[in-house]
Amino acid sequence: MSHTFHIPVLGLGFSIDTPLKVARFGISSVASIVDDELIERMRKYHAEKNNRPYTEIGKNEPDARARRITGYLNLLDQLIDEQFDELRTGPFNEKSELTRYFDLLPDHSDLKQQYLTMLKTNDQTERTALQNQLRQRIQKGAVDVNIMSKVDKINYQKNGTPLGDEFTDALASLRGFALSNLNASVVLSAGMNPRLYSYLESFADFFPQVDGSFKKRIILKVSDYRSANIQAKFLAKKGLWISEFRIESGLNCGGHAFATEGYLLGPVLEEFRQRRHDLRGEIFSIYQQALKNKSIDLAEPPAMRITVQGGIGTAAEDRFLMSYYELDGTGWGSPFLLVPEVTNVDETTLHDLESATPDDFYISGASPLGVPFNNFRKSGAEKQRLERIAKGRPGSPCTKKFLVSNSEFTPEPICTASREYQDLKIKELNTFDLDTETYQKRFDEITEKTCLCVGLCSSVYLKNDMLKPRENKAVSICPGPNLAYFSGTFSLEEMVKHIYGKINVLKSTDRPHMFINELNLYVDYLKKDISSYMADITEKKEKQLMKFKQQLLQGIKYYQDLLPRLTDNMQFLNELKRELFLSEERLEKLSLQPCEA
């Protein structure tokens, strides 16, 4: 691979066409394939922009969701191939995209070193030969796709009859990717979905070719070793190989925050470091037998990458993760929201992100999935949510229905962010005899849910002037808390140079180390969890909270032992020790007794 970092999925729309902007430079990125309406509109937009024929795939046509996804991914693949061919045949001059490709590379890469050698070569024949070699060696970045495994709504015919398992949202998305021309990976996130995982077995592209390579690969996004092991073995039994474990911080990330049971990122990475070879061997043993049952012989285990993402903010952090934990790459997501040429952030939201402070980023209960969600206080969607409550009409119109899940009041599931659900839930709340404080707490929990299906797409429509009349302009955005320490907007060159340590774009020096930041997020999370259950805590919940606390304390001990390896800068080392001490002190004060400090 040309680069040691990738750009993870950013909401529904923020990275929907990021591959078109970075793949030709060898940078891999991930696009969400959850929203087929957004995808169809983007297919039309880019087809027309590039003078390509476009025939609409209507939402009521047979297998529309999968066909829309296939059509869009094939268009991306075709356009990127053309971009790359043009780049490859371009001149080696100061303003060419070919030169830009090499300028963006990290200095330690063999390809960059060969390029620098070429620049120093005066003999024209030798120089031309080196240039031809360089043209042949460059590679495109991957156009990977993301599916949230458990966002898997059942779809129905007009008469109310279920269409069948193959037409649920997640399975149709997978089929759209699997039938595309891409040579790429599907990133499976948000936990295991046995129905979806079993469906992977239906597509030949996920099995090894004659040379042992894969046309389509599987990446698992995980937050701990145990989950990775369980999911990988489930898939291996079906003859499906995990080409990459993409470890993500439980809380110090963008989008949905899938908190672990107190397992901090450092100890999680340590377990992968110590057990990765055993993991690969165990999985391959199961995988090899499953392939034999399919009459496929494979003597050696395929490559298995391990990468990490979530809260990385400095080149020093990136280097330490890569070297100490022996990783194959890192993910840099939220900072690219401040790179207009790479992501789709509208001007108003971009301006608000530029001037944001750490307090503007918080873990909320805004997601209808019931999973903690990284939110931005200044977002248009958050302002609109509060305005609707003030007007006595909380909730949102539910037009897309991707996150319908609740059937408390209706025969068919509805979304907890919808006006219909919140109205019914508040009416139920009004029947209870509650004191003012308890009532307000319950009311806030109901009305905190917000429409992500629309809000996470609005920005791309605004930026590209695609908004339809009367379409909601309110933008939801879900950066990780690490974004608070970046200020301004940046070019692709500036952000890449920051990642590789050539420049520093952070606005201040008071940013806590990524491990400390995540630790404090977990302490806050535990404190909030304790507070929620304090009035009526069960023995089971008390044990769970105590285990959570003990895991955090063990994590702090791990970091205290790790510090000498982390830095040899005494001032920085002492600061890290102080921050760990303060975090430990906060944690020790958390009690499951009503008189908690």
Side-chain angles (χ1 to χ4, degrees):
M1 291 189 175
S2 300
H3 289 273
T4 58
F5 76 93
H6 63 268
I7 302 174
V9 66
L10 295 164
L12 296 178
F14 300 107
S15 64
I16 189 66
D17 56 359
T18 292
L20 267 181
K21 301 164 183 176
V22 302
R24 66 186 182 277
F25 300 116
I27 299 171
S28 297
S29 59
V30 185
S32 169
I33 53 172
V34 166
D35 188 337
D36 62 294
E37 181 182 326
L38 165 68
I39 284 169
E40 181 66 8
R41 287 171 70 171
M42 293 306 291
R43 184 170 73 90
K44 180 176 188 291
Y45 172 79
H46 284 296
E48 293 177 349
K49 185 177 179 181
N50 291 278
N51 298 313
R52 301 302 159 94
Y54 167 77
T55 302
E56 181 182 3
I57 301 172
K59 65 180 180 180
N60 294 319
E61 292 184 27
D63 205 19
R65 180 175 175 83
R67 289 170 54 217
R68 284 173 160 187
I69 291 167
T70 301
Y72 180 61
L73 296 180
N74 285 347
L75 178 63
L76 289 186
D77 188 52
Q78 183 182 40
L79 292 175
I80 291 167
D81 275 350
E82 292 174 7
Q83 289 177 343
F84 191 65
D85 287 344
E86 185 176 348
L87 179 148
R88 189 201 294 271
T89 57
F92 277 95
N93 63 36
E94 186 178 345
K95 295 183 179 180
S96 74
E97 289 209 324
L98 184 58
T99 296
R100 190 183 187 198
Y101 182 105
F102 288 101
D103 285 343
L104 288 169
L105 292 174
D107 288 343
H108 62 261
S109 75
D110 291 341
L111 195 57
K112 182 64 168 281
Q113 289 302 311
Q114 185 178 1
Y115 170 72
L116 295 174
T117 299
M118 182 275 293
L119 292 180
K120 296 173 184 176
T121 301
N122 294 321
D123 182 272
Q124 191 56 48
T125 302
E126 186 179 348
R127 187 182 181 95
T128 300
L130 283 171
Q131 288 179 349
N132 290 335
Q133 290 176 27
L134 289 169
R135 292 182 202 277
Q136 292 305 310
R137 287 190 65 191
I138 61 175
Q139 295 179 325
K140 297 177 296 181
V143 185
D144 295 328
V145 302
N146 176 249
I147 296 175
M148 289 187 69
S149 299
K150 293 184 179 178
V151 179
D152 195 19
K153 170 174 59 69
I154 295 172
N155 291 301
Y156 298 85
Q157 300 179 47
K158 288 184 179 179
N159 63 8
T161 305
L163 283 169
D165 282 354
E166 289 188 7
F167 296 95
T168 64
D169 278 359
L171 272 68
S173 293
L174 176 63
R175 182 166 60 256
F177 167 69
L179 297 179
S180 75
N181 297 329
L182 287 178
N183 184 333
S185 301
V186 58
V187 182
L188 300 173
S189 64
M192 189 163 78
N193 176 344
R195 178 171 61 189
L196 174 66
Y197 284 17
S198 298
Y199 191 49
L200 284 158
E201 199 176 355
S202 305
F203 302 100
D205 279 2
F206 289 107
F207 294 99
Q209 300 179 93
V210 176
D211 63 357
S213 66
F214 297 87
K215 179 77 183 293
K216 300 285 193 303
R217 292 167 294 281
I218 302 169
I219 295 175
L220 273 187
K221 190 190 289 187
V222 296
S223 53
D224 62 72
Y225 182 89
R226 179 176 176 274
S227 172
N229 196 2
I230 291 170
Q231 293 183 71
K233 287 180 177 177
F234 180 93
L235 289 164
K237 290 175 183 177
K238 300 179 180 300
L240 297 164
W241 184 254
I242 303 303
S243 294
E244 179 180 331
F245 290 102
R246 192 160 283 184
I247 305 163
E248 184 171 68
S249 165
L251 294 179
N252 196 15
C253 58
H256 286 89
F258 294 92
T260 65
E261 296 179 355
Y263 301 110
L264 297 172
L265 186 61
V268 169
L269 290 171
E270 184 68 43
E271 188 168 12
F272 273 93
R273 183 175 79 95
Q274 293 182 10
R275 302 179 68 180
R276 70 179 295 171
H277 297 296
D278 292 340
L279 176 68
R280 188 182 182 205
E282 289 173 15
I283 294 172
F284 181 64
S285 177
I286 299 169
Y287 176 69
Q288 190 178 40
Q289 183 58 53
L291 288 184
K292 282 182 180 178
N293 295 339
K294 298 176 183 292
S295 301
I296 302 172
D297 289 321
L298 195 67
E300 297 293 330
M304 178 181 283
R305 287 166 49 84
I306 297 181
T307 64
V308 67
Q309 61 194 40
I312 309 170
T314 69
E317 290 174 352
D318 190 276
R319 284 193 299 269
F320 178 79
L321 292 168
M322 292 280 290
S323 61
Y324 182 74
Y325 295 109
E326 301 169 4
L327 299 174
D328 300 294
T330 56
W332 287 67
S334 295
F336 276 97
L337 293 170
L338 297 174
V339 184
E341 65 185 289
V342 171
T343 52
N344 295 300
V345 183
D346 62 285
E347 287 187 18
T348 300
T349 305
L350 189 61
H351 174 74
D352 289 337
L353 288 174
E354 287 181 87
S355 58
T357 66
D359 289 340
D360 292 321
F361 301 90
Y362 68 110
I363 295 175
S364 72
S367 172
L369 293 177
V371 177
F373 183 75
N374 280 283
N375 216 340
F376 181 52
R377 295 187 198 281
K378 293 182 177 180
S379 73
E382 182 62 11
K383 293 172 185 175
Q384 184 182 72
R385 181 185 73 84
L386 295 174
E387 288 169 1
R388 285 172 169 169
I389 294 171
K391 292 176 181 178
R393 286 179 59 78
S396 308
C398 188
T399 56
K400 294 189 175 181
K401 304 184 186 302
F402 290 124
L403 302 182
V404 295
S405 61
N406 187 284
S407 52
E408 284 179 72
F409 307 107
T410 55
E412 288 188 15
I414 58 177
C415 180
T416 56
S418 69
R419 184 164 293 152
E420 179 183 11
Y421 173 82
Q422 293 190 11
D423 181 58
L424 291 168
K425 193 68 175 175
I426 290 169
K427 284 178 179 176
E428 179 189 64
L429 181 65
N430 290 336
T431 65
F432 302 145
D433 185 19
L434 301 174
D435 60 79
T436 302
E437 184 179 349
T438 303
Y439 178 91
Q440 189 61 47
K441 181 182 177 182
R442 299 270 186 90
F443 181 89
D444 291 344
E445 288 171 353
I446 295 167
T447 58
E448 188 177 12
K449 308 297 180 193
T450 191
C451 176
L452 301 182
C453 297
V454 172
L456 289 174
C457 295
S458 298
S459 189
V460 64
Y461 297 152
L462 287 166
K463 182 171 181 178
N464 294 299
D465 196 23
M466 298 168 62
L467 209 66
K468 295 178 181 179
R470 301 183 67 182
E471 199 163 27
N472 196 337
K473 298 180 181 179
V475 172
S476 293
I477 193 165
C478 46
N482 185 45
L483 192 62
Y485 302 99
F486 290 80
S487 179
T489 56
F490 310 101
S491 66
L492 174 61
E493 277 79 6
E494 287 172 324
M495 188 56 69
V496 172
K497 285 180 179 178
H498 174 78
I499 291 170
Y500 293 137
K502 296 179 180 179
I503 63 172
N504 181 13
V505 302
L506 291 176
K507 67 180 179 182
S508 65
T509 58
D510 61 353
R511 173 186 173 276
H513 188 277
M514 60 178 291
F515 286 161
I516 301 293
N517 204 29
E518 187 202 42
L519 168 60
N520 287 329
L521 289 168
Y522 266 102
V523 175
D524 292 340
Y525 181 88
L526 177 60
K527 183 177 181 179
K528 185 176 180 180
D529 208 15
I530 290 173
S531 177
S532 297
Y533 287 92
M534 186 55 63
D536 189 24
I537 192 167
T538 64
E539 183 179 350
K540 181 180 178 180
K541 184 62 182 179
E542 184 175 0
K543 287 181 179 178
Q544 186 258 320
L545 291 172
M546 285 301 300
K547 181 182 177 183
F548 194 109
K549 180 177 178 179
Q550 288 304 313
Q551 288 293 349
L552 292 183
L553 288 170
Q554 288 178 27
I556 290 173
K557 177 65 168 62
Y558 170 82
Y559 286 142
Q560 288 169 340
D561 294 340
L562 181 72
L563 286 184
R565 297 177 181 270
L566 196 59
T567 181
D568 56 6
N569 182 316
M570 288 306 299
Q571 182 178 348
F572 185 41
L573 184 65
N574 289 332
E575 178 60 23
L576 289 174
K577 287 180 178 178
R578 187 185 72 84
E579 290 175 339
L580 280 175
F581 172 78
L582 292 174
S583 298
E584 185 176 26
E585 192 174 47
R586 284 182 63 213
L587 186 58
E588 291 285 12
K589 287 181 178 179
L590 293 182
S591 167
L592 299 184
Q593 303 304 316
C595 60
E596 177 201 332

